[in-house]
Amino acid sequence: MDKLTSTARKIDIVFKIAEIMLKIAFVACLVCIGIVVVGKVFALPDEMIGTVDQLLEFGPLTLTVADAYTPDFDSMLIQAAAMLALGAGCSFLGILCVKAIRAILAPMKDGKPFASETSKNLRKLGWLSLILGAAVQVMEAISLFTLFIVQKMDTLLISDKISHVNVNISFDPSFLIIPAVFFLLAYVFKYGEQLQTLSDETL
């Protein structure tokens, strides 16, 4: 039992750091969104809001776009604001997930792995991870779609050698595995809780 409590305390420290990092990311996204909004409301010079680079990235492949084909600043701002908003949402969901994990570890630090709130927090973590996984899928789809629109990929890449460009958005169901594991663990811990209750009543 001492080993369990010691391990739980160490893991809790790791997730406490993760929670701090996620909060920083969440605030950073909100600050950047605020800069974009203030910049457009007060018609600040583009240089005070940000810059448009000429790099176009496809995974490990990076292309440098010529000046004449660089997207306009307003379109890039819309894309950036959309991605920042989605990033803030994912960071917030991540914070909730970490809080649920730390709530699960709390009774374990006291040597009570089958406390009544453990299974509830595992179910909560399952739902949160399901929502977070779906949000990441949506974020990737929106990122790809806005990249296609803002960068005008349908005209940028078309040449004598390339006749057409399509956006293929795919759905990866593998993110459902993690929530399923959490729901299964919630059932296991609920059963352990019932056994613990019966054992205490017998004693």
Side-chain angles (χ1 to χ4, degrees):
M1 188 62 71
D2 290 339
K3 187 175 181 179
L4 172 66
T5 56
S6 176
T7 303
R9 289 192 182 96
K10 292 176 182 176
I11 296 174
D12 184 64
I13 292 173
V14 173
F15 279 103
K16 185 177 181 179
I17 296 172
E19 183 178 351
I20 293 171
M21 298 300 293
L22 284 168
K23 286 180 178 179
I24 292 173
F26 177 70
V27 172
C29 287
L30 293 182
V31 169
C32 291
I33 292 173
I35 291 172
V36 172
V37 172
V38 170
K40 298 311 294 181
V41 168
F42 293 98
L44 297 177
D46 294 345
E47 295 77 14
M48 294 184 66
I49 304 174
T51 58
V52 177
D53 59 38
Q54 297 172 265
L55 300 179
L56 190 59
E57 296 183 1
F58 298 96
L61 181 64
T62 301
L63 306 177
T64 301
V65 182
D67 292 338
Y69 297 96
T70 302
D72 63 277
F73 189 74
D74 288 341
S75 297
M76 290 297 293
L77 275 185
I78 293 172
Q79 181 189 22
M83 296 310 299
L84 286 168
L86 289 169
C90 289
S91 297
F92 182 72
L93 288 171
I95 292 169
L96 294 179
C97 287
V98 172
K99 283 183 177 294
I101 293 173
R102 294 191 67 198
I104 293 168
L105 292 171
M108 292 185 182
K109 291 190 297 182
D110 296 329
K112 301 175 182 177
F114 295 110
S116 59
E117 62 268 20
T118 301
S119 60
K120 295 178 183 177
N121 284 313
L122 278 168
R123 280 195 300 273
K124 180 180 178 181
L125 186 58
W127 286 112
L128 286 171
S129 60
L130 180 63
I131 296 170
L132 181 59
V136 169
Q137 295 273 323
V138 171
M139 186 175 181
E140 291 177 352
I142 292 176
S143 175
L144 183 60
F145 185 74
T146 54
L147 176 67
F148 183 84
I149 298 298
V150 171
Q151 297 285 352
K152 299 177 181 178
M153 302 294 294
D154 54 339
T155 58
L156 181 63
L157 298 179
I158 291 178
S159 64
D160 295 337
K161 296 180 180 180
I162 300 175
S163 61
H164 193 68
V165 178
N166 283 328
V167 176
N168 298 315
I169 298 175
S170 60
F171 174 78
D172 183 9
S174 62
F175 78 92
L176 298 173
I177 295 174
I178 295 177
V181 170
F182 285 132
F183 288 130
L184 179 61
L185 285 173
Y187 174 78
V188 171
F189 273 82
K190 184 65 177 177
Y191 184 67
E193 177 191 335
Q194 292 173 348
L195 291 178
Q196 184 68 51
T197 302
L198 289 174
S199 176
D200 293 342
E201 291 175 351
T202 302
L203 294 175

